[in-house]
């Protein structure tokens, strides 16, 4: 989770909008990519599933800081959703997202149809062992195969020099760092800080599903994680003590609503009984029909 490149980069300010091009096909993307290669431009890439919010825009601004041409993709990836999950109701509004990105430092928006990403005859799956078997991977079997496969394919198509992901999906960041390392993909990863509402709730496209009552309870997730972090800062090393403190600080969340609350090694994503090295305190809750995830890093 902590390759040197991801380390603190100052909060990105708003950079000036660029004249954003919009492409949907592999052939148009490839023509643009070739043009950039000839011009000697480096490319910073922000893959997204759309339904953009300030969290995504902060990743775009972080990408722009690298002085590269900024490419954003919008693709709601079917293979990372299980059949019982929210693929069909996942919010989609490419025109709205496009209008938002036009005001940001984005040079190229790639919004392919599913057939472009998974053409007839597509047969590959990228599976990353171990890191994907805990937490999100345990609750959502197959999820990270879908993520790793689409990210590997998007990297192959966009050929970025830099790629930017959000730390809210902490396990996803670790999985992608492993993917890049194992497959020797020549890309530098940057991980952007989680952007939060004033009450602490991490921005997420899924927050839109929360009922008003659940929206009021939702900040308890980050409050609990922050209390766990504080307990660790005050000297608690045992995972049990850290997670108990976290749960106690989030009384609005019933025991049955927690999918998990785990202290995991920041590199391997395996649960640890006590914090010896950098670790992540990660939690997932189900409030009504909505699943929320969040995490904090316990690092010296
Ligand atoms: O984090 C996301 O939005 C998705 O998992 C990603 C990385 C765009 C792959 O579909």
């Amino acid at each position: 989770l902590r390759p040197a490149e991801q380390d603190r980069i100052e909060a990105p300010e708003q950079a000036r909008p660029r004249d954003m091009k919009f492409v949907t096909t592999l052939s148009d993307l490839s023509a643009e990519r070739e043009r950039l290669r000839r011009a000697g431009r480096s490319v910073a890439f922000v893959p997204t599933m759309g339904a953009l919010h300030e969290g995504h825009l902060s990743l775009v601004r972080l990408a722009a800081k690298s002085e590269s041409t900024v490419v954003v993709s919008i693709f709601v990836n079917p293979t990372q959703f299980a059949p019982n999950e929210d693929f069909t109701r996942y919010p989609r509004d490419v025109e709205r997202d496009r209008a938002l990105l036009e005001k940001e430092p984005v040079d190229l928006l790639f919004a392919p149809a599913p057939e472009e990403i998974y053409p007839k005859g597509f047969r590959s799956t990228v599976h990353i062992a171990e890191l994907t078997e805990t937490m999100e991977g345990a609750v959502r079997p197959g999820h990270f195969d879908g993520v790793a496969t689409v990210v590997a394919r998007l990297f192959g198509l966009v050929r970025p020099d830099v790629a930017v992901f959000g730390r809210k999906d902490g396990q996803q960041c670790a999985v992608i760092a492993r993917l890049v390392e194992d497959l020797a993909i020549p890309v530098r990863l940057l991980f952007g800080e989680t952007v939060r509402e004033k009450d602490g709730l991490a921005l997420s496209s899924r927050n839109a599903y929360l009922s008003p009552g659940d929206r009021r309870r939702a900040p308890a997730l980050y409050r609990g994680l922050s209390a766990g972090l504080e307990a660790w800062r005050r000297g608690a090393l045992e995972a049990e003590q850290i997670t108990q403190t976290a749960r106690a600080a989030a009384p609005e969340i019933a025991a049955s609503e927690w999918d998990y609350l785990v202290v995991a090694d920041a590199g391997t994503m395996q649960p640890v009984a006590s914090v010896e090295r950098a670790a992540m305190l990660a939690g997932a809750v189900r409030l009504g029909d909505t699943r929320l995830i969040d995490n904090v890093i316990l690092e010296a």
Side-chain angles (χ1 to χ4, degrees):
L1 190 61
R2 305 199 62 257
E5 301 81 68
Q6 78 182 61
D7 260 353
R8 316 289 169 205
I9 292 184
E10 281 161 38
E13 323 103 32
Q14 176 104 37
R16 272 219 290 271
R18 304 173 182 179
D19 194 10
M20 186 178 88
K21 289 197 175 143
F22 178 55
V23 297
T24 57
T25 62
L26 295 197
S27 58
D28 286 349
L29 174 69
S30 143
E32 283 302 318
R33 187 64 190 88
E34 184 52 21
R35 197 179 55 75
L36 293 168
R37 191 191 62 75
R38 287 220 204 91
R41 296 288 304 163
S42 65
V43 168
F45 178 42
V46 186
T48 80
M49 297 206 302
L52 302 179
H53 50 65
E54 205 45 46
H56 297 108
L57 302 184
S58 78
L59 301 182
V60 165
R61 292 170 202 152
L62 185 54
K65 284 210 138 193
S66 68
E67 315 249 312
S68 307
T69 294
V70 174
V71 178
V72 175
S73 66
I74 295 179
F75 179 63
V76 185
N77 174 34
T79 63
Q80 68 189 73
F81 292 80
N84 60 334
E85 291 183 346
D86 57 349
F87 174 67
T88 45
R89 76 162 178 161
Y90 198 86
R92 291 167 175 83
D93 189 347
V94 173
E95 283 315 310
R96 172 196 167 273
D97 290 342
R98 182 177 174 178
L100 277 177
L101 292 173
E102 262 160 4
K103 299 196 198 98
E104 299 292 329
V106 180
D107 299 278
L108 180 62
L109 170 60
F110 174 49
E115 318 74 85
E116 297 283 319
I117 298 298
Y118 298 115
K120 207 162 164 273
F122 188 95
R123 291 288 178 273
S124 303
T125 299
V126 179
H127 175 72
I128 295 164
E130 195 180 73
L131 282 80
T132 58
E133 285 151 22
T134 58
M135 300 183 288
E136 284 305 284
V139 178
R140 306 180 65 189
H143 168 68
F144 286 120
D145 286 3
V147 170
T149 304
V150 81
V151 169
R153 176 141 169 90
L154 288 168
F155 280 176
L157 296 170
V158 175
R159 287 180 280 127
D161 300 280
V162 172
V164 187
F165 296 85
R167 283 174 184 268
K168 183 181 77 74
D169 297 303
Q171 190 173 11
Q172 173 171 280
C173 292
V175 167
I176 290 165
R178 181 48 46 211
L179 167 79
V180 163
E181 175 82 20
D182 287 358
L183 302 189
I185 300 174
V187 65
R188 188 162 71 92
L189 297 177
L190 296 177
F191 297 145
E193 294 300 331
T194 302
V195 179
R196 300 181 180 282
E197 301 281 4
K198 282 203 180 67
D199 59 14
L201 176 64
L203 296 195
S204 161
S205 310
R206 292 188 167 100
N207 293 352
Y209 306 151
L210 288 165
S211 69
D214 289 337
R215 173 64 189 82
R216 281 193 290 278
R217 296 194 298 138
L221 173 57
Y222 182 59
R223 189 184 337 112
L225 295 174
S226 303
L229 173 63
E230 194 47 38
W232 171 77
R233 284 194 178 131
R234 288 171 189 267
L237 292 179
E238 300 308 307
E240 185 65 28
Q241 194 183 346
I242 295 168
T243 54
Q244 266 177 17
T245 307
R247 278 177 199 267
E252 301 92 325
I253 302 175
S256 59
E257 290 177 309
W258 287 96
D259 261 354
Y260 60 81
L261 177 62
V262 174
V263 181
D265 180 276
T268 65
M269 295 289 115
Q270 299 307 300
V272 293
S274 87
V275 182
E276 318 268 311
R277 296 194 294 270
M280 187 171 87
L281 172 61
V285 296
R286 280 175 202 272
L287 301 184
D289 291 340
T290 311
R291 217 170 151 269
L292 302 177
I293 62 170
D294 203 347
N295 67 81
V296 291
I297 300 293
L298 316 179
E299 67 184 350

